[in-house]
């Protein structure tokens, strides 16, 4: 088949025709390694035609030869004198080259052209694996393969995925089918997909995975389930990936037969210690535990009048002898607390700074509410210098159109990482807090809530693969630009031809902002459908708790809209450094993108943009929709350049996105008008349906809802 493909490609090339477009189903992600042709092929033949390695059976060499075999369209031999030399620092051939391999740590590597050979060298096998994938990326991009001089060391040590996957394979906030982890059949049946998952993650530098939901079931900590987890750990290990588990805080009661789960009760302490010992006896390189405690109904130390630190430290002591870590989430808010939900994590955690054990990280969402299309950076990042804080991003698009809306999330994540906490002075970016460099922390970590499921294309849509990819690349190096990451991904996923890369890039880069504009412009937030979070529902009111309603967040009245978080309102502005607090406290100095996050503004108030608030809202809704229409047109123009299956699905999804963008605008406009009755700005079309029509729509089976 491969030979045939190459022959066909050669023939087409000889006839001056464009390369043929093969049908693809997306399973191969960015690891397609389709046969090269022309100059790219001859260059790769010359530079990468064979491999030499002392450890020919290593994962790095296996992956390298597998990728090169695809690119060259022929088996690539591993033999002495091979063109690509792969080896660790203690390999005599590598030693003889005298390369500087200092400071590479566990994961770093160098790639160097040395005369006519290409050398991949690292301190460890994992470093070599990352180097192998880097070289394959360069070959797939068809850039120059001579004079290579690459040195890479990740900025963050633990680059982790969080699967919100239940033990029955239901994925909370999952839009790509059921969980890839087929627990019932594990450990006996090991789906080949597990290895492909590990390969994909390793290729972008992800080195850890939490395989169960933060809303956890304690069963996973029982012996038979730990045997299942071990089977996964054994498959992931050669790819440098550690397994972590969510520990349900009440497990000592639920599976241990204890009367309580009080972290200061010696019986509870002993139970967790024994449980940790058991876990490590089964999985010696187990990473540690992630905990969601006293949040949205989950059990936690506060059930016993203890603090988050009491809970975290008790678990930290249990895993410390084995080198484990605790990732303790700061996503807490209580409906018994009348305070602004956005303020609660800060109020709860800042007083605990300095009281956590050395092997505890506090895991903080990028914003203070909940993965909204746009949020200002979480104020905790500027307020806990004595504690390593890890970033939690959401890759799955719970609030950004599920799998059908195209939204490339790197720009959103970069916005948070680049934000300056001003603690204690300018230049203290969130990225520097998270990578540990600002406060000299040894532990550093980032988590991404996975968008992976058992759909053939893994993520429910081709373009959502880009978000998995971008997350891994940014966790490795947060200095990479959204543009550079997208280019890499497009070249690997569709091909390096500029006629593909440029237009697809032009779709991806503005796509996140477009979603913000048509859903929640100007700092609006949490206006999605109740429970499942699908579609517009700014009218959501009532129910079990106020902070699960839309009206809590937008606070629209006849006169204005927005959540007053100024010093006259909830005072949330003062959780930021003074420079920001002063700025956010005034309408004039608040960036328009965050206006209604911090202020309640009159509908007819003139903004810095020259428009009234009402006109500005309409303008932004319209602009977001136009961007999506533009994306559709661009994609239509690529019909001959992209394979049929991926083109067709994406075209259908863009049509859904355009329709739903319009729905967001129309439903929102109808609802806002019901408060103030103002006419629409000139040129704006009235919503085609009545407000009650939009309110009557219901989606009882929308995917991914919490159970
Ligand atoms: C919210 C999700 C919910 C999660 C929660 C969390 O709607 O399903 O359990 O975050 O992060 O955004 O714990």
């Amino acid at each position: 088949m491969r030979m045939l493909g190459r022959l066909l490609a050669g023939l087409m090339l000889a006839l001056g025709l464009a390369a043929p477009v093969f049908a693809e189903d997306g399973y191969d992600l960015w690891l397609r390694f389709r046969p090269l042709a022309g100059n790219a092929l001859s260059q790769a033949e010359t530079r990468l035609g064979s491999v030499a390695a002392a450890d020919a059976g290593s994962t790095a060499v296996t992956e390298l030869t597998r990728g090169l075999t695809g690119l060259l369209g022929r088996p690539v031999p591993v033999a002495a004198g091979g063109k690509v030399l792969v080896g660790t620092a203690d390999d005599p051939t590598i030693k003889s080259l005298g390369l500087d391999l200092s400071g590479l740590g566990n994961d770093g590597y160098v790639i160097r052209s040395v005369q006519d050979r290409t050398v991949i060298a690292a301190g460890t096998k994992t470093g070599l694996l990352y180097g192998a994938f880097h070289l394959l990326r360069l070959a797939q991009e068809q850039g120059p393969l001579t004079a290579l001089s690459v040195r890479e060391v990740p900025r963050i040590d633990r680059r982790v995925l969080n699967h919100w996957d239940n033990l029955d394979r239901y994925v909370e906030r999952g839009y790509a089918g059921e969980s890839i982890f087929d627990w019932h059949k594990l450990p006996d049946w090991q789906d080949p997909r597990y290895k492909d998952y590990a390969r994909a993650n390793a290729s972008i530098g992800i080195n850890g995975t939490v395989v169960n939901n933060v809303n956890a079931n304690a069963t996973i900590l029982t012996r038979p389930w730990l045997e299942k987890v071990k089977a996964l750990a054994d498959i992931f290990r050669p790819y440098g990936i550690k397994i972590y588990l969510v520990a349900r805080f009440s497990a000592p009661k639920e599976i241990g037969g204890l009367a309580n789960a009080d972290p200061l009760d010696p019986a509870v302490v002993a139970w967790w210690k024994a449980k940790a010992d058991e876990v490590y006896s089964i999985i010696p390189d187990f990473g540690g535990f992630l905990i969601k405690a006293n949040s949205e109904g989950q059990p936690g130390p506060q059930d016993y009048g203890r603090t988050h630190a009491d809970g975290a430290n008790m678990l930290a002591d249990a895993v410390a002898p084995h080198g484990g870590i605790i990732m303790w989430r700061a996503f807490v808010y209580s409906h018994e607390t009348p305070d602004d939900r956005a303020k609660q994590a800060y109020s709860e955690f800042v007083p605990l700074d300095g009281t956590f054990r050395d092997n505890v990280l506090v895991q903080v969402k990028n914003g203070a509410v909940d993965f909204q299309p746009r949020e200002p950076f979480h104020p905790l990042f500027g307020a806990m210098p004595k504690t390593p804080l890890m970033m939690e991003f959401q890759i799955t698009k719970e609030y950004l159109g599920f799998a059908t809306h195209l939204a490339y999330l790197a720009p959103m994540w970069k916005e948070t990482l680049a934000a300056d906490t001003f603690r204690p002075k300018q230049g203290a970016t969130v990225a520097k807090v998270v990578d540990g460099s600002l406060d000299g922390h040894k532990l550093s970590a980032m988590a991404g809530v996975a968008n992976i499921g058992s759909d053939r294309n893994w993520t429910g849509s081709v373009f959502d693969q880009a978000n998995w990819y971008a997350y891994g690349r940014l966790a490795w190096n947060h200095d990479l630009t959204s543009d550079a990451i997208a280019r890499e991904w497009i070249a690997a996923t569709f091909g390096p031809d500029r006629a593909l890369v440029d237009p697809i890039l032009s779709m991806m880069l503005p796509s996140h902002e477009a979603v913000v504009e048509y859903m929640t412009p100007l700092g609006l937030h949490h206006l999605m459908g109740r429970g499942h979070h699908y579609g517009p529902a700014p009218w959501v009111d009532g129910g079990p708790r106020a902070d699960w309603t839309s009206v809590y967040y937008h606070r629209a009245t006849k006169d204005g809209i927005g959540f007053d978080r100024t010093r006259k309102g909830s005072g949330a502005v003062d959780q930021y450094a003074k420079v920001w607090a002063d700025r956010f406290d005034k309408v004039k100095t608040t960036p328009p993108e965050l206006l209604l996050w911090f202020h309640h503004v009159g509908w007819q108030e003139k903004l810095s943009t020259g428009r009234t608030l009402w006109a500005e809202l309409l303008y932004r809704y319209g602009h977001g929709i136009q961007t999506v229409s533009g994306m559709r047109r661009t994609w239509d123009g690529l019909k001959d350049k992209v394979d049929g299956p991926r083109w067709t699905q994406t075209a259908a999804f863009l049509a859904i996105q355009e329709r739903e963008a319009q729905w967001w605008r129309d439903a929102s406009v109808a609802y806002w008008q019901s408060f103030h009755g103002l006419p629409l700005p000139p040129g704006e079309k009235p919503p085609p349906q009545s407000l009650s029509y939009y309110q009557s729509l219901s989606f009882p089976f929308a995917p991914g809802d919490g159970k």
Side-chain angles (χ1 to χ4, degrees):
M1 270 312 278
R2 251 195 201 116
M3 262 335 262
L4 194 70
R6 259 187 81 184
L7 279 174
L8 194 62
L11 191 70
M12 307 274 290
L13 225 72
L15 295 172
L17 299 173
V21 176
F22 296 105
E24 308 216 25
D25 60 14
Y27 184 84
D28 292 342
L29 298 160
W30 47 87
L31 301 174
R32 288 161 59 253
F33 307 125
R34 297 293 186 265
L36 299 170
N39 287 342
L41 176 60
S42 37
Q43 186 190 209
E45 278 288 359
T46 318
R47 308 294 310 183
L48 316 176
S50 51
V51 174
D55 187 0
S58 69
T59 316
V61 173
T62 311
E63 287 299 330
L64 186 62
T65 49
R66 175 175 172 169
L68 289 175
T69 297
L71 291 166
L72 301 180
R74 63 160 176 86
V76 169
V78 184
K83 303 250 172 67
V84 186
L85 174 60
V86 183
T88 44
D90 50 6
D91 177 320
T93 329
I94 296 289
K95 263 194 189 151
S96 71
L97 297 173
L99 302 172
D100 177 11
L101 301 179
S102 59
L104 292 178
N106 191 61
D107 295 348
Y109 57 87
V110 298
I111 302 176
R112 287 279 286 277
S113 303
V114 180
Q115 288 149 9
D116 63 341
R117 298 182 93 182
T118 306
V119 180
I120 305 176
T124 67
K125 285 184 176 192
T126 312
L128 290 181
L129 179 63
Y130 293 142
F133 278 119
H134 189 137
L135 186 60
L136 286 171
R137 185 167 75 232
L138 298 180
Q140 199 165 229
E141 280 170 1
Q142 302 183 19
L145 295 173
T146 48
L148 295 177
S149 178
V150 172
R151 182 192 155 85
E152 285 278 332
V153 179
R155 305 287 285 273
I156 289 172
D157 285 337
R158 315 249 178 170
R159 305 170 297 275
V160 179
L161 285 180
N162 285 185
H163 284 267
W164 286 358
D165 296 15
N166 292 345
L167 305 188
D168 63 359
R169 302 190 76 177
Y170 182 84
V171 182
E172 184 160 338
R173 313 310 174 184
Y175 312 105
E178 59 181 359
S179 170
I180 57 168
F181 304 121
D182 190 353
W183 293 110
H184 185 67
K185 300 193 194 85
L186 277 164
D188 305 288
W189 163 241
Q190 300 176 4
D191 191 329
R193 204 167 178 141
Y194 302 145
K195 189 170 160 192
D196 288 334
Y197 164 85
R199 295 178 63 226
N201 280 320
S203 75
I204 51 176
I206 288 173
N207 67 354
T209 182
V210 186
V211 293
N212 62 325
N213 192 352
V214 286
N215 298 320
N217 186 313
T219 306
I220 198 148
L221 297 175
T222 60
R223 184 85 198 193
W225 284 77
L226 291 174
E227 296 291 350
K228 297 168 189 276
V229 176
K230 172 190 160 39
L232 292 178
D234 290 344
I235 298 169
F236 298 167
R237 188 170 299 111
Y239 287 89
I241 297 169
K242 272 189 206 261
I243 290 219
Y244 301 77
L245 291 175
V246 177
R248 187 164 157 89
F249 202 77
S250 50
K253 271 178 17 188
E254 287 158 10
I255 58 166
L258 298 190
N260 69 70
D262 181 347
L264 301 191
D265 179 332
V268 172
V269 174
W271 188 86
W272 279 111
K273 195 182 166 319
K275 184 49 75 180
D277 292 348
E278 182 188 2
V279 172
Y280 279 92
S281 72
I282 301 170
I283 308 163
D285 56 352
F286 179 71
F289 292 123
L290 166 67
I291 297 94
K292 171 175 178 175
N294 294 119
S295 165
E296 301 185 328
Q298 293 301 308
Q302 292 177 338
D303 303 348
Y304 307 95
R306 315 298 185 195
T307 68
H308 284 285
D310 292 331
N313 291 341
M314 182 268 297
L315 289 170
D317 291 342
V319 296
H322 308 282
I325 61 163
I326 298 300
M327 299 173 284
W328 191 272
R329 295 176 94 220
F331 178 66
V332 298
Y333 60 98
S334 155
H335 59 297
E336 279 119 35
T337 312
D339 205 4
D340 175 2
R341 173 171 156 188
K343 286 173 65 184
Q344 294 186 31
Y346 181 104
S347 312
E348 190 89 55
F349 276 85
V350 171
L352 300 176
D353 192 23
T355 66
F356 291 97
R357 298 281 192 272
D358 287 350
N359 58 336
V360 175
L361 291 129
V362 171
Q363 178 167 320
V364 184
K365 288 189 182 182
N366 57 294
V369 169
D370 200 351
F371 295 140
Q372 294 305 295
R374 168 162 285 118
E375 297 195 30
F377 69 91
H378 202 305
L380 269 180
F381 287 115
M384 293 186 70
K386 297 190 195 117
T387 310
L389 299 182
M390 61 185 281
M391 173 64 75
E392 179 176 330
F393 286 132
Q394 193 180 44
I395 309 170
T396 189
K397 304 208 310 300
E398 173 181 357
Y399 298 98
L400 287 117
F402 296 5
T404 46
H405 293 211
L406 195 165
Y408 171 52
L409 300 180
M412 175 171 88
W413 298 331
K414 291 281 296 179
E415 191 173 302
T416 307
L417 290 166
D420 196 336
T421 66
F422 278 92
R423 179 185 58 76
K425 54 180 180 5
Q426 200 166 3
T429 60
V430 171
K432 287 187 189 164
V433 174
V434 173
D435 72 17
S437 61
L438 188 70
D439 303 297
H441 291 303
K442 274 200 224 101
L443 274 181
S444 61
M446 193 183 276
V449 180
N451 62 352
I452 297 159
S454 53
D455 274 9
R456 185 69 193 156
N457 66 13
W458 299 88
T459 54
S461 78
V462 178
F463 278 87
D464 278 305
Q465 298 177 353
N467 291 325
W468 178 8
Y469 185 91
Y471 167 72
R473 298 290 288 131
L474 278 177
W476 180 277
N477 179 4
H478 50 66
D479 278 338
L480 290 172
T481 64
S482 303
D483 182 288
I485 296 170
R487 282 176 190 281
E488 279 180 9
W489 177 78
I490 299 166
T493 304
F494 294 108
D497 180 356
R498 289 202 64 173
L500 273 168
V501 175
D502 291 350
I504 295 179
L505 189 69
S506 79
M507 294 167 63
M508 289 170 73
L509 288 182
S511 60
H512 163 252
E513 197 63 43
V515 176
V516 174
E517 287 186 321
Y518 63 70
M519 285 189 184
T520 49
L522 295 171
L524 287 171
H525 48 290
H526 221 303
L527 307 183
M528 296 77 188
R530 194 197 293 274
H532 49 61
H533 299 152
Y534 171 68
W539 45 79
V540 165
D541 197 0
R545 37 195 302 174
D547 50 13
W548 284 357
T549 68
S550 304
V551 297
Y552 174 89
Y553 295 100
H554 66 67
R555 307 205 164 196
T557 63
K558 185 175 176 303
D559 304 310
I561 181 173
F563 198 127
D564 184 355
R565 295 193 164 105
T566 67
R567 289 166 185 146
K568 293 201 192 84
S570 81
V573 292
D574 279 324
Q575 293 186 337
Y576 290 92
K578 191 163 182 315
V579 197
W580 283 123
D582 290 347
R583 242 185 250 178
F584 292 152
D585 197 49
K586 294 184 204 69
V587 167
K588 268 208 170 129
T589 46
T590 301
E593 286 67 38
L594 296 174
L595 187 65
L596 305 178
W597 184 280
F598 288 114
H599 300 275
H600 189 82
V601 181
W603 295 106
Q604 310 225 52
E605 213 170 304
K606 253 285 181 45
L607 305 186
S608 56
T609 59
R611 284 180 276 265
T612 64
L613 175 67
W614 177 228
E616 187 67 33
L617 274 177
L618 265 300
Y619 170 78
R620 297 211 178 203
Y621 288 133
H623 190 260
I625 299 167
Q626 277 167 27
T627 306
V628 177
S629 307
M631 284 155 57
R632 268 191 90 182
R633 281 194 300 276
T634 305
W635 191 250
D636 283 343
L638 295 174
K639 192 162 184 191
D640 306 335
K641 295 194 170 61
V642 176
D643 54 282
R646 292 190 301 173
W647 186 87
T648 307
Q649 190 191 57
T650 304
F653 285 2
L654 285 166
I656 294 173
Q657 185 175 10
E658 190 180 39
R659 193 182 67 228
E660 293 189 350
Q662 187 69 45
W663 169 36
W664 264 95
R665 179 261 185 205
D666 291 336
S668 305
V669 168
Y671 178 63
W672 306 138
Q673 275 193 309
S674 75
F675 287 93
H676 55 53
L678 290 172
L680 288 169
E684 291 284 352
K685 289 208 182 74
Q689 305 282 351
S690 66
L691 173 58
S692 55
Y693 166 80
Y694 297 114
Q695 289 175 322
S696 75
L697 301 175
S698 87
F699 307 94
F701 304 110
D705 201 351
K707 268 207 224 173

